[in-house]
Amino acid sequence: MPLGHTSAVALLGLTGAIVEVEADISSNLPGFVLIGLPDAALGEARDRVRAAATNTGCEFPTRKVTVNLSPAALPKHGSGFDLAIALAILAAARLVNTDSVAGVVHLGELGLDGRLRPINGVLPCTLAAARAGATTVMVPTGNADEAALVPGVRVVGVASLLEAAIWHGGEYTPVPVEPILRAAPEGAADDDLDLSDIIGNDDAIQAIQVAAAGGHHMFLLGPPGAGKTMLATRLPGILPDLDADAALEVSCVRSLAGLPVGASLATRPPLEAPHHTATAASIVGGGSGVIRPGAAARANHGVLFLDEAPEFQRAVLDALRQPLESGLISIHRANSVAHFPGRFQLVLAANPCPCGQYGARDSDCVCAPSARRRYLARLSGPLLDRIDIQLRVARITSATMRMADEKQRVDTATVRSRVVSARAATAERLGATPWALNSQVPGPWLRGPHARLGPSTTVSIDRALERGGLTMRGYDRVLRLAWTLADLDGAQRPTADHLGRALYLRKAISS
């Protein structure tokens, strides 16, 4: 009997590959063989497909069925191949139109009652199918809105295997079923978090504006109650809306992580704040079978906030060093390498000592000097050297609170407009380069003929470099901060004052 074949998509990270699903029905003893390097979840598709076909009234062949997933060397994970396997078998049995089945990419998991369950990663799967030239994709009804976000692809949402078979020309009597839907996406968590809620700490407010305008990483050091968490959670609110490419990338990561996407792309930068007990796999991604994105990938184009940073395992923190430099997270396994985007802004917050009271005006620290050094030494030097802004945050006093009530405080909308203007100035200046933010510009370019500053302007950081107060990487990061400050002020080039303010933001903790 002729073969039946169709297509599905296998994901490795955010990269999708088209998988040819071939079904052969022979005259041997009844059986169901699935080949092509399936994992355990995919291997169980034999029982799901057989039960779904029987319970929906689609005749399942009573002979030997062999299903091949090609290319065989490509690892295939999960239950998203169920619909493709079932329709390839029905096509081989000539119960549906073979040409129709062959021309459609099928994604979806089957329940034993024949209904289709939504799966994770439909958005990157549909995007991969579109890039491979597919024009029609069939998905569960619960994933239809998400798949429709990919332009140029016809999306067919079906609630059951029976409905899919009828769509492909099967002569069956329609039976209405209740589709399985996904939860609606939650509203933005930072809608009620306004920058005007912060009292005092003018230096810190200026620092997060610089961080937002230039895409700089930030480290906040201060006692409990100083406002470190308030500052970090308000940083996403002052970031500009995501452009189309960034919105698609963020939504793809959300889809792969199993988070609801809905009928529109994410337009606001995400915020991820994992607990300090998180493992390296939960931060950068991983897994024993399917490689899933971690908090760093979910924070792509947004903010990754690590509160109580010294309490994180050192291996977890050091695992972030490579993504901070490259903007790419690579998860290596014996038979594959998965890549996730990792262009996030890292915000670290820490107490100055184990008791948290060192440097506080109204409390006494009970920690020995050696205990304080050991506590902050949990943050490695190479990691801190990659943090552009390092700021000490103090508790506010009652006098500061009274004075704050007498003057107008900046709000999120105002600061966001300033950040948008500064980024526009940066983009115009870097228009002929591959970079869009000051934090992305490499040091040789900043020190080269395109952006070199005069010796009279850089005298403060030159002296810091000579004294050993700055590394060469730190020197370049001060230059990046100075350019961001100049963009915020509307200046054409940084001045000595901008360099001095940038050096303060870089070295405020050690000063």
Side-chain angles (χ1 to χ4, degrees), residues 301-399:
H301 296 295
V303 176
L304 177 64
F305 175 43
L306 302 185
D307 201 3
E308 306 294 344
E311 301 295 339
F312 283 80
Q313 299 177 30
R314 184 160 185 166
V316 173
L317 296 174
D318 287 342
L320 295 173
R321 285 158 54 179
Q322 183 259 344
L324 289 178
E325 287 292 328
S326 65
L328 183 68
I329 301 170
S330 299
I331 310 296
H332 292 255
R333 292 293 181 265
N335 59 350
S336 60
V337 180
H339 300 288
F340 297 105
R343 289 204 173 276
F344 55 87
Q345 285 185 246
L346 178 63
V347 179
L348 302 178
N351 296 326
C353 64
C355 78
Q357 305 304 323
Y358 180 70
R361 290 184 293 267
D362 54 350
S363 302
D364 294 327
C365 176
V366 298
C367 303
S370 58
R372 294 196 295 267
R373 287 194 297 270
R374 283 197 303 270
Y375 185 71
L376 290 181
R378 297 177 186 177
L379 304 176
S380 67
L383 174 65
L384 289 179
D385 203 33
R386 288 169 167 82
I387 307 299
D388 297 357
I389 300 173
Q390 302 180 16
L391 191 67
R392 190 180 295 273
V393 183
R395 289 175 179 156
I396 66 168
T397 63
S398 58

XYZ file of all heavy atoms in Angstrom, residues 301-399:
763
model
N 15.676 40.956 26.287
C 15.161 42.298 25.977
C 14.450 42.923 27.181
O 13.682 43.876 27.017
C 14.207 42.270 24.778
C 14.852 41.851 23.504
N 15.845 42.585 22.888
C 14.663 40.752 22.723
C 16.234 41.973 21.785
N 15.540 40.855 21.671
N 14.705 42.387 28.361
C 14.106 42.929 29.577
C 15.126 42.950 30.697
O 16.310 43.217 30.476
N 14.676 42.643 31.911
C 15.498 42.783 33.110
C 15.529 41.459 33.857
O 14.483 40.847 34.109
C 14.951 43.897 34.030
C 15.758 43.981 35.318
C 14.966 45.242 33.316
N 16.721 41.009 34.226
C 16.919 39.873 35.114
C 17.381 40.427 36.459
O 18.482 40.967 36.576
C 17.957 38.905 34.545
C 18.306 37.699 35.432
C 17.091 36.799 35.631
C 19.465 36.899 34.827
N 16.535 40.311 37.464
C 16.806 40.887 38.776
C 17.141 39.767 39.754
O 16.323 38.885 40.005
C 15.579 41.676 39.258
C 15.712 42.207 40.662
C 16.891 42.799 41.094
C 14.656 42.106 41.554
C 17.014 43.287 42.387
C 14.763 42.595 42.847
C 15.941 43.179 43.264
N 18.349 39.811 40.301
C 18.795 38.841 41.295
C 18.901 39.542 42.634
O 19.896 40.223 42.924
C 20.139 38.226 40.893
C 20.201 37.522 39.535
C 21.553 36.856 39.345
C 19.079 36.502 39.386
N 17.853 39.421 43.442
C 17.849 40.004 44.778
C 18.635 39.100 45.712
O 18.652 37.883 45.543
C 16.408 40.169 45.266
C 16.291 41.191 46.376
O 17.322 41.819 46.722
O 15.182 41.364 46.911
N 19.273 39.718 46.718
C 20.148 38.961 47.624
C 21.176 38.171 46.814
O 21.368 36.963 47.000
C 19.324 38.019 48.518
C 18.221 38.699 49.302
C 18.755 39.670 50.343
O 19.955 39.605 50.679
O 17.972 40.511 50.822
N 21.867 38.869 45.914
C 22.767 38.200 44.968
C 23.839 37.339 45.635
O 24.145 36.250 45.126
C 23.411 39.240 44.056
N 24.452 37.746 46.777
C 25.470 36.869 47.374
C 24.921 35.538 47.868
O 25.703 34.611 48.123
C 26.004 37.703 48.558
C 25.714 39.123 48.190
C 24.413 39.059 47.450
N 23.593 35.421 48.027
C 23.011 34.169 48.480
C 22.876 33.150 47.350
O 22.644 31.968 47.595
C 21.623 34.419 49.096
C 21.633 35.383 50.277
C 22.410 34.835 51.467
O 22.596 33.595 51.533
O 22.853 35.632 52.312
N 23.006 33.582 46.109
C 22.991 32.641 44.986
C 24.275 31.820 44.991
O 25.336 32.289 45.448
C 22.878 33.386 43.659
C 21.494 33.887 43.328
C 21.016 35.046 43.903
C 20.681 33.204 42.456
C 19.744 35.518 43.607
C 19.412 33.654 42.153
C 18.943 34.817 42.727
N 24.173 30.604 44.478
C 25.374 29.801 44.344
C 26.348 30.487 43.393
O 25.954 31.066 42.385
C 25.033 28.412 43.807
C 24.100 27.603 44.681
C 23.759 26.260 44.049
O 24.562 25.686 43.315
N 22.567 25.762 44.326
N 27.618 30.404 43.723
C 28.616 31.095 42.904
C 28.628 30.567 41.476
O 28.798 31.325 40.525
C 29.994 30.948 43.537
C 31.078 31.729 42.799
C 32.268 31.975 43.676
N 33.248 32.821 42.997
C 34.258 33.421 43.615
N 34.407 33.279 44.912
N 35.112 34.160 42.938
N 28.424 29.262 41.320
C 28.403 28.690 39.969
C 27.240 29.248 39.157
O 27.357 29.416 37.936
C 28.302 27.170 40.055
N 26.128 29.545 39.826
C 24.979 30.119 39.132
C 25.315 31.516 38.624
O 25.028 31.872 37.476
C 23.757 30.159 40.069
C 22.604 30.905 39.422
C 23.330 28.750 40.448
N 25.929 32.324 39.469
C 26.277 33.690 39.071
C 27.321 33.697 37.960
O 27.211 34.454 36.988
C 26.793 34.473 40.286
C 25.783 34.698 41.414
C 26.469 35.341 42.613
C 24.631 35.572 40.941
N 28.327 32.850 38.091
C 29.377 32.836 37.069
C 28.884 32.287 35.740
O 29.477 32.561 34.690
C 30.570 32.016 37.558
C 31.372 32.742 38.637
O 31.200 33.980 38.746
O 32.136 32.097 39.359
N 27.785 31.509 35.766
C 27.218 31.020 34.505
C 26.657 32.150 33.658
O 26.435 31.974 32.451
C 26.124 29.994 34.789
N 26.430 33.321 34.274
C 25.895 34.465 33.541
C 26.982 35.273 32.846
O 26.666 36.182 32.067
C 25.122 35.386 34.496
C 23.862 34.793 35.135
C 23.313 35.755 36.189
C 22.812 34.529 34.080
N 28.235 34.982 33.121
C 29.303 35.814 32.574
C 29.348 35.765 31.052
O 29.505 36.792 30.381
C 30.652 35.383 33.174
C 30.825 35.842 34.606
C 31.842 35.020 35.387
N 33.141 34.947 34.730
C 34.185 34.296 35.247
N 34.057 33.663 36.407
N 35.323 34.273 34.604
N 29.208 34.563 30.487
C 29.255 34.450 29.028
C 28.061 35.126 28.354
O 28.243 35.883 27.384
C 29.356 32.974 28.635
C 29.489 32.731 27.144
C 28.170 32.315 26.500
O 27.230 31.931 27.207
N 28.089 32.420 25.187
N 26.809 34.930 28.821
C 25.700 35.666 28.193
C 25.823 37.175 28.318
O 25.384 37.902 27.425
C 24.474 35.138 28.952
C 24.875 33.814 29.471
C 26.327 33.924 29.780
N 26.406 37.673 29.416
C 26.555 39.119 29.571
C 27.439 39.709 28.473
O 27.243 40.851 28.052
C 27.146 39.452 30.946
C 26.235 39.228 32.150
C 26.978 39.556 33.439
C 24.974 40.067 32.045
N 28.410 38.949 28.030
C 29.319 39.443 27.000
C 28.772 39.223 25.595
O 28.844 40.106 24.741
C 30.682 38.746 27.138
C 31.494 39.204 28.335
C 31.965 40.644 28.191
O 32.207 41.082 27.055
O 32.083 41.326 29.220
N 28.203 38.034 25.335
C 27.829 37.674 23.966
C 26.365 37.914 23.645
O 25.994 38.007 22.469
C 28.157 36.195 23.713
O 27.354 35.357 24.538
N 25.504 37.985 24.672
C 24.072 38.113 24.415
C 23.451 36.833 23.904
O 22.332 36.850 23.378
N 24.139 35.704 24.070
C 23.645 34.418 23.588
C 23.878 33.368 24.658
O 24.940 33.314 25.279
C 24.371 34.016 22.299
C 23.913 32.723 21.625
C 22.503 32.874 21.063
C 24.889 32.335 20.516
N 22.878 32.534 24.892
C 22.975 31.447 25.861
C 23.063 30.140 25.086
O 22.179 29.822 24.293
C 21.758 31.426 26.797
C 21.648 32.755 27.558
C 21.839 30.262 27.777
C 20.357 32.903 28.326
N 24.126 29.392 25.305
C 24.340 28.122 24.608
C 24.311 26.993 25.633
O 25.058 27.013 26.608
C 25.679 28.116 23.868
O 25.710 29.139 22.885
N 23.422 26.016 25.408
C 23.294 24.851 26.272
C 23.830 23.648 25.503
O 23.260 23.256 24.479
C 21.833 24.604 26.690
C 21.205 25.899 27.241
C 21.750 23.478 27.702
C 21.856 26.410 28.501
N 24.915 23.067 25.990
C 25.572 21.965 25.280
C 25.147 20.628 25.878
O 25.137 20.447 27.100
C 27.095 22.105 25.367
C 27.634 23.267 24.601
N 28.299 23.125 23.393
C 27.592 24.594 24.838
C 28.647 24.309 22.947
N 28.237 25.223 23.803
N 24.781 19.712 25.010
C 24.495 18.340 25.384
C 25.331 17.413 24.505
O 25.956 17.864 23.537
C 22.995 18.033 25.216
C 22.111 18.779 26.204
C 22.347 18.298 27.631
N 21.498 18.987 28.594
C 21.860 20.052 29.283
N 23.073 20.567 29.107
N 21.043 20.608 30.147
N 25.334 16.135 24.834
C 26.207 15.197 24.112
C 25.874 15.135 22.630
O 26.768 15.006 21.783
C 26.099 13.798 24.737
N 24.572 15.231 22.283
C 24.187 15.066 20.874
C 23.613 16.328 20.251
O 23.117 16.292 19.129
C 23.170 13.930 20.738
C 21.916 14.182 21.563
O 21.882 15.109 22.364
N 20.886 13.365 21.373
N 23.658 17.452 20.965
C 23.071 18.669 20.401
C 23.523 19.889 21.194
O 24.032 19.771 22.312
C 21.529 18.593 20.422
O 21.069 18.445 21.759
N 23.336 21.039 20.586
C 23.598 22.328 21.231
C 22.393 23.224 20.974
O 22.009 23.434 19.822
C 24.884 22.998 20.686
C 25.108 24.332 21.386
C 26.091 22.099 20.868
N 21.789 23.711 22.046
C 20.635 24.602 21.930
C 21.067 26.024 22.233
O 21.854 26.265 23.157
C 19.527 24.165 22.890
N 20.549 26.957 21.456
C 20.872 28.373 21.636
C 19.607 29.147 21.981
O 18.539 28.933 21.385
C 21.489 28.953 20.368
C 22.769 28.289 19.941
N 23.953 28.454 20.624
C 23.035 27.430 18.926
C 24.905 27.754 20.029
N 24.366 27.115 19.000
N 19.732 30.053 22.949
C 18.652 30.952 23.325
C 19.180 32.379 23.329
O 20.356 32.611 23.644
C 18.110 30.618 24.726
C 17.501 29.257 24.852
C 18.180 28.236 25.497
C 16.254 28.986 24.315
C 17.627 26.975 25.620
C 15.690 27.727 24.425
C 16.378 26.726 25.078
N 18.334 33.353 22.999
C 18.774 34.744 23.095
C 18.969 35.136 24.552
O 18.239 34.682 25.435
C 17.623 35.520 22.442
C 16.428 34.629 22.621
C 16.940 33.223 22.530
N 19.955 35.992 24.818
C 20.244 36.375 26.196
C 20.677 37.821 26.333
O 21.595 38.120 27.108
N 20.002 38.713 25.599
C 20.327 40.133 25.728
C 19.421 40.754 26.782
O 18.434 41.421 26.469
C 20.170 40.842 24.385
C 21.244 40.450 23.382
C 21.464 41.514 22.317
N 22.595 41.190 21.466
C 23.857 41.461 21.763
N 24.141 42.075 22.895
N 24.828 41.126 20.942
N 19.749 40.516 28.021
C 18.987 41.059 29.140
C 19.843 42.068 29.899
O 21.068 42.116 29.745
C 18.570 39.923 30.088
C 19.732 39.087 30.573
C 20.455 39.450 31.697
C 20.105 37.936 29.886
C 21.533 38.694 32.135
C 21.180 37.169 30.316
C 21.899 37.547 31.446
N 19.185 42.872 30.714
C 19.886 43.766 31.629
C 19.905 43.101 32.998
O 18.853 42.788 33.563
C 19.201 45.128 31.715
C 19.440 45.993 30.499
C 18.852 47.388 30.678
O 17.917 47.758 29.981
N 19.387 48.139 31.611
N 21.084 42.892 33.520
C 21.238 42.253 34.820
C 21.248 43.318 35.910
O 22.007 44.292 35.848
C 22.537 41.448 34.854
C 22.867 40.749 36.173
C 21.811 39.696 36.501
C 24.257 40.123 36.122
N 20.401 43.124 36.912
C 20.374 43.993 38.090
C 20.623 43.119 39.303
O 19.836 42.209 39.602
C 19.037 44.738 38.230
C 19.050 45.621 39.485
C 18.761 45.596 36.999
N 21.731 43.373 39.995
C 22.055 42.669 41.224
C 21.759 43.571 42.405
O 22.011 44.787 42.348
C 23.539 42.274 41.257
C 24.069 41.389 40.119
C 25.563 41.164 40.304
C 23.346 40.072 40.066
N 21.239 42.996 43.475
C 21.017 43.739 44.717
C 21.593 42.925 45.854
O 21.447 41.699 45.888
C 19.533 44.002 44.941
N 22.267 43.602 46.798
C 22.910 42.885 47.898
C 22.936 43.760 49.134
O 23.003 45.000 49.056
C 24.328 42.464 47.511
N 22.890 43.108 50.290
C 23.166 43.777 51.548
C 24.672 43.921 51.705
O 25.445 43.126 51.154
C 22.585 42.981 52.721
C 21.067 42.905 52.664
O 20.411 43.848 52.225
N 20.518 41.779 53.089
N 25.144 44.895 52.485
C 26.594 45.105 52.601
C 27.296 44.062 53.465
O 28.525 43.997 53.456
C 26.698 46.499 53.222
C 25.414 46.689 53.948
C 24.376 45.948 53.161
N 26.535 43.264 54.220
C 27.124 42.275 55.115
C 26.047 41.257 55.483
O 24.865 41.468 55.156
C 27.697 42.939 56.372
S 26.439 43.739 57.382
N 26.396 40.162 56.165
C 25.368 39.176 56.516
C 24.230 39.726 57.356
O 23.072 39.335 57.158
C 26.162 38.107 57.278
C 27.544 38.199 56.724
C 27.751 39.651 56.437
N 24.509 40.621 58.297
C 23.422 41.198 59.100
C 22.707 42.321 58.381
O 21.604 42.715 58.764
C 23.938 41.671 60.456
S 24.811 43.263 60.418
N 23.334 42.873 57.345
C 22.699 43.898 56.530
C 22.801 45.307 57.049
O 22.314 46.236 56.402
N 23.442 45.532 58.204
C 23.402 46.857 58.819
C 24.696 47.656 58.653
O 24.776 48.773 59.161
C 23.096 46.721 60.324
C 21.829 45.957 60.630
C 20.613 46.557 59.951
O 20.486 47.778 59.834
N 19.712 45.688 59.474
N 25.692 47.094 57.962
C 26.947 47.827 57.824
C 26.729 49.105 57.006
O 26.176 49.073 55.906
C 27.997 46.950 57.149
C 29.329 47.641 56.971
C 30.131 47.924 58.064
C 29.769 48.010 55.710
C 31.350 48.558 57.920
C 30.992 48.638 55.545
C 31.772 48.917 56.649
O 32.976 49.556 56.497
N 27.161 50.234 57.558
C 27.014 51.514 56.881
C 25.701 52.207 57.136
O 25.528 53.358 56.730
N 24.737 51.533 57.802
C 23.459 52.178 58.103
C 23.634 53.160 59.266
O 24.307 52.852 60.260
C 22.410 51.122 58.452
N 23.002 54.310 59.146
C 23.183 55.342 60.160
C 22.460 55.031 61.467
O 22.867 55.465 62.527
C 22.676 56.683 59.620
C 23.532 57.279 58.508
C 23.013 58.643 58.115
N 21.712 58.548 57.480
C 21.525 58.459 56.167
N 22.584 58.418 55.370
N 20.325 58.385 55.663
N 21.387 54.253 61.395
C 20.556 54.051 62.574
C 20.722 52.675 63.194
O 19.965 52.293 64.086
C 19.074 54.250 62.204
C 18.662 53.377 61.026
O 19.565 52.795 60.404
O 17.455 53.283 60.739
N 21.695 51.880 62.737
C 21.881 50.531 63.260
C 23.363 50.228 63.337
O 24.191 50.847 62.650
C 21.180 49.495 62.373
O 19.798 49.765 62.260
N 23.689 49.271 64.201
C 25.076 48.847 64.375
C 25.277 47.488 63.725
O 24.466 46.574 63.899
C 25.433 48.766 65.861
C 25.403 50.131 66.529
O 25.738 51.120 65.841
O 25.044 50.196 67.725
N 26.354 47.351 62.997
C 26.700 46.083 62.363
C 27.402 45.188 63.380
O 28.284 45.645 64.118
C 27.592 46.325 61.152
S 28.180 44.818 60.357
N 27.018 43.931 63.424
C 27.627 42.978 64.349
C 28.577 42.031 63.628
O 29.055 41.061 64.224
C 26.525 42.173 65.081
C 25.652 43.095 65.909
C 25.668 41.391 64.082
N 28.831 42.273 62.352
C 29.672 41.377 61.562
C 31.137 41.800 61.667
O 31.464 42.998 61.642
C 29.244 41.386 60.096
S 27.517 40.938 59.835
N 31.996 40.809 61.744
C 33.426 41.076 61.723
C 33.850 41.513 60.327
O 33.210 41.168 59.337
C 34.187 39.819 62.136
N 34.929 42.310 60.230
C 35.395 42.730 58.898
C 35.645 41.556 57.956
O 35.342 41.632 56.764
C 36.692 43.489 59.209
C 36.502 43.998 60.607
C 35.712 42.941 61.311
N 36.185 40.461 58.485
C 36.431 39.304 57.620
C 35.122 38.707 57.109
O 35.048 38.225 55.969
C 37.218 38.236 58.385
O 36.503 37.832 59.556
N 34.052 38.731 57.942
C 32.754 38.207 57.516
C 32.165 39.066 56.406
O 31.548 38.551 55.463
C 31.799 38.138 58.704
N 32.362 40.388 56.509
C 31.854 41.281 55.452
C 32.581 41.021 54.143
O 31.964 40.994 53.068
C 32.019 42.746 55.876
C 31.158 43.150 57.064
C 31.062 44.660 57.175
N 32.344 45.280 57.476
C 32.785 45.564 58.702
N 32.019 45.259 59.751
N 33.947 46.133 58.903
N 33.884 40.834 54.230
C 34.654 40.586 53.005
C 34.244 39.256 52.369
O 34.096 39.170 51.156
C 36.162 40.599 53.315
C 36.721 41.978 53.599
C 38.241 41.966 53.555
N 38.799 41.097 54.598
C 39.121 41.493 55.819
N 38.913 42.768 56.164
N 39.636 40.658 56.689
N 34.081 38.239 53.207
C 33.691 36.936 52.660
C 32.295 36.997 52.023
O 32.046 36.344 51.013
C 33.706 35.870 53.768
C 35.076 35.387 54.142
C 34.985 34.081 54.921
N 34.148 34.217 56.113
C 34.578 34.572 57.317
N 35.877 34.825 57.484
N 33.748 34.661 58.336
N 31.415 37.773 52.627
C 30.046 37.842 52.119
C 30.017 38.423 50.710
O 29.428 37.844 49.792
C 29.194 38.681 53.061
C 27.731 38.735 52.703
C 26.919 37.621 52.864
C 27.154 39.895 52.204
C 25.570 37.653 52.537
C 25.799 39.949 51.880
C 25.030 38.830 52.052
O 23.696 38.870 51.722
N 30.651 39.571 50.500
C 30.639 40.194 49.173
C 31.582 39.491 48.205
O 31.438 39.648 46.985
C 30.994 41.673 49.284
C 29.929 42.553 49.959
C 30.379 44.004 49.995
C 28.590 42.438 49.247
N 32.539 38.726 48.740
C 33.447 37.979 47.857
C 32.734 36.852 47.139
O 33.293 36.250 46.217
C 34.632 37.441 48.644
N 31.484 36.538 47.553
C 30.710 35.530 46.814
C 30.385 36.012 45.404
O 30.067 35.209 44.530
C 29.424 35.213 47.571
C 29.642 34.605 48.946
C 28.323 34.381 49.655
N 28.524 33.921 51.033
C 27.535 33.701 51.899
N 26.280 33.920 51.526
N 27.799 33.291 53.130
N 30.409 37.325 45.198
C 30.262 37.884 43.856
C 31.657 38.000 43.267
O 32.461 38.814 43.717
C 29.579 39.253 43.909
C 28.216 39.293 44.593
C 27.708 40.727 44.667
C 27.226 38.424 43.862
N 31.967 37.201 42.284
C 33.327 37.146 41.762
C 33.717 38.452 41.094
O 32.881 39.190 40.563
C 33.458 35.983 40.771
O 32.685 36.226 39.613
N 35.029 38.707 41.121
C 35.541 39.910 40.477
C 35.239 39.978 38.993
O 34.823 41.022 38.482
N 35.432 38.872 38.236
C 35.100 38.914 36.805
C 33.637 39.238 36.533
O 33.325 39.883 35.532
C 35.456 37.511 36.330
C 36.510 37.047 37.265
C 36.152 37.633 38.589
N 32.720 38.780 37.410
C 31.309 39.108 37.213
C 31.058 40.594 37.474
O 30.415 41.277 36.668
C 30.432 38.262 38.137
C 28.937 38.598 38.129
C 28.332 38.306 36.758
C 28.194 37.825 39.207
N 31.585 41.108 38.595
C 31.371 42.520 38.916
C 32.027 43.437 37.898
O 31.549 44.546 37.657
C 31.903 42.827 40.316
C 31.100 42.250 41.478
C 31.749 42.614 42.808
C 29.661 42.749 41.444
N 33.109 42.976 37.289
C 33.774 43.810 36.284
C 32.918 43.990 35.047
O 33.153 44.898 34.250
C 35.121 43.173 35.904
C 36.094 44.196 35.344
O 36.042 45.366 35.797
O 36.893 43.845 34.472
N 31.912 43.112 34.869
C 31.009 43.217 33.728
C 29.773 44.065 34.055
O 28.922 44.258 33.188
C 30.566 41.821 33.288
C 31.670 41.020 32.602
C 31.277 39.566 32.424
N 32.168 38.857 31.508
C 33.332 38.348 31.826
N 33.771 38.463 33.081
N 34.065 37.717 30.930
N 29.660 44.534 35.280
C 28.519 45.355 35.694
C 28.898 46.817 35.530
O 29.805 47.319 36.198
C 28.127 45.062 37.154
C 27.908 43.568 37.359
C 26.885 45.843 37.531
C 26.811 42.977 36.526
N 28.207 47.532 34.658
C 28.575 48.911 34.344
C 28.352 49.847 35.533
O 29.212 50.666 35.865
C 27.743 49.417 33.155
C 28.006 48.625 31.888
O 28.871 47.740 31.928
O 27.351 48.883 30.874
N 27.182 49.769 36.156
C 26.807 50.701 37.222
C 26.859 49.964 38.549
O 26.198 48.939 38.732
C 25.393 51.270 36.986
C 25.338 52.018 35.644
C 24.962 52.171 38.130
C 23.950 52.454 35.248
N 27.661 50.499 39.490
C 27.778 49.911 40.818
C 27.530 51.019 41.830
O 28.373 51.881 42.051
C 29.150 49.269 40.999
C 29.453 48.188 39.961
C 30.807 47.550 40.140
O 31.427 47.672 41.191
N 31.271 46.840 39.113
N 26.354 50.980 42.442
C 25.884 52.121 43.227
C 25.538 51.691 44.644
O 24.938 50.635 44.858
C 24.648 52.737 42.561
C 24.173 54.078 43.097
C 25.192 55.175 42.783
C 22.822 54.439 42.503
N 25.893 52.532 45.591
C 25.523 52.321 46.989
C 24.221 53.068 47.263
O 24.097 54.265 46.941
C 26.630 52.805 47.921
C 26.428 52.408 49.380
C 27.579 52.925 50.236
N 28.827 52.294 49.873
C 29.263 51.143 50.387
N 28.505 50.492 51.265
N 30.427 50.641 50.019
N 23.251 52.381 47.848
C 21.936 52.954 48.133
C 21.765 53.038 49.640
O 21.964 52.037 50.350
C 20.806 52.098 47.524
C 19.450 52.745 47.774
C 21.032 51.905 46.030
N 21.408 54.221 50.139
C 21.251 54.442 51.580
C 19.777 54.558 51.939
O 18.933 54.901 51.105
C 21.994 55.703 52.007
N 19.480 54.263 53.198
C 18.125 54.459 53.687
C 17.810 55.949 53.744
O 18.678 56.780 54.021
C 17.970 53.860 55.078
C 17.976 52.337 55.135
C 17.928 51.868 56.565
N 17.899 50.412 56.656
C 18.305 49.727 57.710
N 18.761 50.377 58.774
N 18.239 48.416 57.715
N 16.566 56.268 53.492
C 16.169 57.664 53.563
C 15.864 58.033 55.015
O 15.524 57.179 55.836
C 14.946 57.957 52.669
C 13.711 57.211 53.194
C 15.229 57.581 51.239
C 12.436 57.664 52.557
N 15.998 59.301 55.317
C 15.697 59.809 56.653
C 14.340 60.497 56.652
O 13.747 60.751 55.589
C 16.781 60.794 57.099
O 16.772 61.927 56.194
C 18.158 60.137 57.058
N 13.838 60.817 57.847
C 12.556 61.520 57.939
C 12.641 62.898 57.296
O 11.675 63.376 56.690
C 12.131 61.638 59.400
O 13.129 62.325 60.158
N 13.806 63.544 57.421
C 13.965 64.859 56.780
C 13.881 64.733 55.266
O 13.256 65.556 54.583
C 15.302 65.477 57.202
